[in-house]
Amino acid sequence: MGPIATVFRREFAGYFATPVAFIFIIIFLALAGSFTFYLGYFIERGNADLQTFFLFHPWLYLLLIPAVSMRLWAEERKQGTIELFLTLPISITQAVVGKFLAAWAFVGLALALTFPMWITVNVLGEPDNGVIAAGYLGSLLMAGSYLAIGSCLSAVTKNQVIAFVLTITVSFLFTAGGSGVVVGLVQGWAPQAVVSAVQSLSFLNHFQNIAKGVIDLRDAVFFVALIAAWLAANVLVVDLKKAD
Amino acid sequence: MADPAQNPVRQRNLLSVLGLIVIAALFVAVVVLSNQLFRSSQVDLTEDGLYTLSKGTKEVLQGIDEPITLRFYYSSRIAEELPDIGVYAQRVRDMLEEYARIAGGKVRLEIHDPQPFTDEEDLAVAVGLQGVPIDQGGDLVYFGLAGTNSTDQQQIIPFFDQKREAFLEYDLTRLVYNLAHPKKPVAAVISGLPVSGSPYAKSVPGAPDDSWAVWGQLKELFDVRELPMTNAVIPDDANLLLLIHPDKIDDRTRYAIDQFALKGGRVVVLIDPHSEVQASDPQMRRGPSPNIVAASNLPKLLKAWGLEMPPGDVIGDAKLARRVQVPTQGPVKTRVAAIDYPLWLALGPEEMSQQDLVTSQLSLLNLASPGHLDPEKGATTTFTPLLWTSAEGGKGDLSLAQQGSTQILEQTNTFKPDGKYTLAARIRGPVKSAFPDGPPKPPMIDQLEKAIANAKEGEDTAKKKAELDAETKKWDAAKAAHIAESKAPLNAIVVADVDFLADGLWVRVQDFFGKKIAAPYADNGNLLVNATENLSGSDALISLRSRGVFQRPFTYIQAIQRKAEQDFRQKEQELVRELNQAEASLKKLQTQVKGDSGVVLSQQQKDEIARFREKAVGLRRELRDVQYKLRKDVEQVTDWVKLINIAAVPVLVAVFALVLALVRRNMRRHANRAA
């Protein structure tokens, strides 16, 4: 774990070296709050839960996480620091995992800073805190999934903007996979099994299940397997492109 | 063509691409496998274990003797068009699979995807499932369940409505239970309210069914037999007797109830000092409005069973009062005010016995002007309260309650809290007959005796005498069969309210493509069903009935609203009094002016009128301000909540970032200087 921890520390501290990280946190918090109150009608619903708060997380992540992940590898490649980075006594896998964990911790911090919402519902009423805890856990797992996708795609290109657009596109497919639009596109030509498979790959369905307060092993396995798969792909891509 | 094996870069690329394909395949394989393997592995973090099968369900499933087949019809197109319902359908399916697993082979699950214009669709329609059009093409989709038992009896859920998600387990378990126990217990019902439908709907063929939602629930659980209020004969096979608002009951029926209870029969009694449902319905009310008499009571029987409901008391509660909208005719035009009406109670778990199966799992009960129950001194039965008011309960004025909704404000203002009152109780124990002298003399005997005595000379009274003989023999037989003391302990539940059964207080009944779908928002129906089911002996279903009707309201905001409302009422009363006085004085002055030949007003009179007008305007403004403040208090809280959640932490983060940047700049300067 030594090298991973070293990469983690370096990367995590790196986030706070520039104002960009703070701007990300500020935008995330302001949007999460505004969506909850103005689009989710939190007060008007009058129910002490965080359903409307979590409702918008997939879409917020879809927009914001590619901005966090786009620099993970693209910047290293553009500036040529990747060669230097990989000459250090750490494996590509350790580097990938370390960077990913740092980004995940950073997004986790942003998520943790939404704690006033939790306090608010506890002051205003008597919420089911088990459900809220599950919501946060689900949200964190989903954020990790977006990040894993973004991390891998950021290694594909030297251009951060291209990495951003690629990540948004792929993440959108994973987010909206369960929605009518995507299913409609697939079912025109694919058999039912494929349509079901596409649906089961949607973040929305798995996240909704967890946010209801039930940690189903299938949902947990989905997110963990997805993160592991994209990180494994990330390792391959970094290895493949390191000399480019 | 060069051999890739000879080109290390190409070989590496090829390996990497292969690696990516393997990763993708592995990922899909893991997801598919886990979907198959981990169907029942979940941790339920909800406070009430909403998604975990309860003990009651397991008992029902493990107690199945004959196999049951469940056919789950679900059109996969629903998930494509309506992903939300798709997620719900997955939950239903998972739950059904869990049922099949727990039942150990006694429940067989079949899953069907009825495509349009196929035999499967015809089958779905034939069993009574509800097809719902999903697009303009007119194709129907299905999402329902049909269960059959070994004797081919069938139970269906025509369409799983997401609004009933909290009751999913109950709906499924009840369906299974009904199939496993095809013979329903018999419930005899005597009702003074049109619970089973209005006389009109019953007498006119084709008239819409206007029975109450609770009636449907009862009929699903019981073989219901409706009995008349007079001369009722309770069937021998009745497992339960349900009395709803027995306001015109006669002595012979009372005697029948007494004897039924003494034989160890189980009785649910719902009585009310003032039934709002009856009072508000011109078809039902017994007297002219106002001063409507809409009361029911069974003093004689209750006394024998060791309790009483004082007939003149209507119970309210300032703390549990429900918010109602009432038009108020103030000096500031007519307005709609939201006030807490103390006679309409919303009982929470704190006002329900947590030890009794009937009430322990209920979360919300709405009652309307209930009465209260008190145990009799020296009673042989145990009196266990099931429902009660908070410490802010109190007696309301029955005469005001009888006036109806126009007097709500007066009722609110005169209401004085004075302590806790019992609203429902369970009665258990040995009892004596309320009829110590045996069965009441049949009125027919009196009539015949009178007819014979008054017969004119020469009139043939032989036939009447024979009839009298027969009636007397019947009476003698009844006397001989009279039971004076209970053979088995009395088992009764008494509730001092009948209005709670009315749909308006607990359920929204909607027409869903021609089917009535009930979406309860309170547990009123569950209270009756729990009580009847508990007394008829099936406890298994009770543990899972009321899962998830939670309202988790913003109690803090409600408290502010309540406080602001109280302040407003008080201030309003003061101001209205002053305003009325001012206006009366002004009117008096104006009349006086007109009376004094009215041509020229003295300066003093003019000043006086101007002063009163000014005062009236000022008071009206003050009243508006108070009214405005009522909303402002809540708005202030919500503004703060929004501010804290949208802006506070971002501002703090920005300040932190700024401070960090400054500290870093200083450190760099120091470092540069040092260098």
Side-chain angles (χ1 to χ4, degrees), chain A residues 100-156:
Chain A
F100 167 76
L101 288 180
W104 203 10
F106 170 66
V107 176
L109 176 71
L111 184 62
L113 287 176
T114 61
F115 69 91
M117 280 303 307
W118 194 332
I119 297 175
T120 301
V121 283
N122 275 284
V123 169
L124 291 184
E126 289 163 11
D128 189 338
N129 283 313
V131 176
I132 296 177
Y136 270 104
L137 183 69
S139 183
L140 192 64
L141 280 172
M142 189 169 59
S145 307
Y146 281 108
L147 274 173
I149 294 172
S151 178
C152 178
L153 295 176
S154 135
V156 171

Side-chain angles (χ1 to χ4, degrees), chain B residues 595-636:
Chain B
D596 297 349
S597 75
V599 188
V600 183
L601 291 177
S602 73
Q603 190 54 42
Q604 195 194 351
Q605 283 171 323
K606 280 181 189 168
D607 289 349
E608 192 79 342
I609 289 176
R611 202 171 61 78
F612 276 130
R613 278 201 179 127
E614 208 173 308
K615 191 177 179 188
V617 170
L619 283 171
R620 284 195 193 107
R621 189 182 307 122
E622 224 176 309
L623 200 56
R624 268 200 308 274
D625 289 347
V626 176
Q627 200 178 355
Y628 172 69
K629 193 179 166 295
L630 175 72
R631 256 176 288 158
K632 213 174 146 207
D633 283 351
V634 173
E635 271 171 20
Q636 227 165 24

Side-chain angles (χ1 to χ4, degrees), chain A residues 16 22 43 46-48 116-117 120 124 126 128 130 178 180 183 187 199 212-215 217-218 226 229 239-240, chain B residues 12-13 16 19 23 27 34 41-43 45-47 51 79-80 83 87 94 552-556 638 645 649 657 664:
Chain A
F16 298 97
F22 292 106
I43 295 286
N47 211 29
M117 280 303 307
T120 301
L124 291 184
E126 289 163 11
D128 189 338
V183 171
Q187 71 177 357
Q199 279 179 307
K212 271 198 294 197
V214 179
I215 313 281
L217 199 52
R218 287 171 295 177
L226 187 114
D239 188 41
L240 190 69
Chain B
R12 214 162 51 100
N13 285 354
S16 298
I23 289 170
F27 167 66
S34 83
S41 316
Q42 61 181 35
V43 184
L45 297 179
T46 55
E47 204 171 78
Y51 298 94
E80 294 152 18
V87 172
D94 289 351
R552 290 182 181 271
F554 289 151
T555 44
Y556 184 71
T638 56
N645 284 290
V649 182
R664 277 180 181 160

Side-chain angles (χ1 to χ4, degrees), chain A residues 177 182-183 186-187 189-201, chain B residues 80:
Chain A
V182 176
V183 171
V186 179
Q187 71 177 357
W189 50 272
Q192 185 54 40
V194 176
V195 178
S196 303
V198 169
Q199 279 179 307
S200 76
L201 294 181
Chain B
E80 294 152 18

Side-chain angles (χ1 to χ4, degrees), chain A residues 72 95-105 143-145 147-148 151 227 231 234:
Chain A
L72 281 175
V96 165
V97 173
K99 268 172 174 284
F100 167 76
L101 288 180
W104 203 10
S145 307
L147 274 173
S151 178
I227 292 171
L231 290 184
N234 196 353

Side-chain angles (χ1 to χ4, degrees), chain B residues 273-274 276 291-292 311-317 341-343 369-370 394-404 407-408 410-417:
Chain B
H274 174 69
E276 295 194 10
N291 295 325
I292 303 148
D313 298 345
V314 180
I315 297 304
D317 192 310
Y341 181 46
L343 293 191
S369 56
K395 290 175 199 166
D397 193 328
L398 179 62
S399 62
L400 271 182
Q402 286 170 337
Q403 304 278 318
Q407 304 302 320
I408 278 179
E410 283 76 353
Q411 185 63 261
T412 307
N413 294 334
T414 56
F415 178 75
K416 296 275 176 297

